[in-house]
Amino acid sequence: MTAQTDTPGSVTAVYKVTGMSCGHCEGSVSAEIAELPGVSSVKAVAASGEVTVVSAAPLDEEAVRTAVDEAGFELVGRI
């Protein structure tokens, strides 16, 4: 899931995640967040630590934090 285009009624949020250093890290974070209900796409960029998430409705930040923790990284917060 890497598309960044919004569909009508979708919400895009950008989060800062620390600890990502490679493509495997990006994949781990993306996979965990993609499992959250309503998520249609996730794009993680290790170089910047930014994770862009497109979802049907705003996500609960604690749910995103838990997903990032499951991947082994730390959610700093929403940008």
Side-chain angles (χ1 to χ4, degrees):
M1 293 183 183
T2 58
Q4 288 189 1
T5 55
D6 283 351
T7 55
S10 67
V11 177
T12 301
V14 181
Y15 298 93
K16 181 74 169 181
V17 174
T18 59
M20 294 189 299
S21 61
C22 64
H24 184 282
C25 299
E26 294 170 351
S28 296
V29 170
S30 295
E32 289 293 337
I33 293 174
E35 291 182 13
L36 296 174
V39 172
S40 58
S41 73
V42 181
K43 176 154 178 69
V45 180
S48 64
E50 292 182 2
V51 181
T52 304
V53 182
V54 179
S55 57
L59 297 174
D60 175 58
E61 190 165 319
E62 283 308 308
V64 176
R65 184 176 310 281
T66 299
V68 171
D69 286 347
E70 286 292 320
F73 302 95
E74 182 179 348
L75 177 69
V76 175
R78 204 166 162 178
I79 298 176

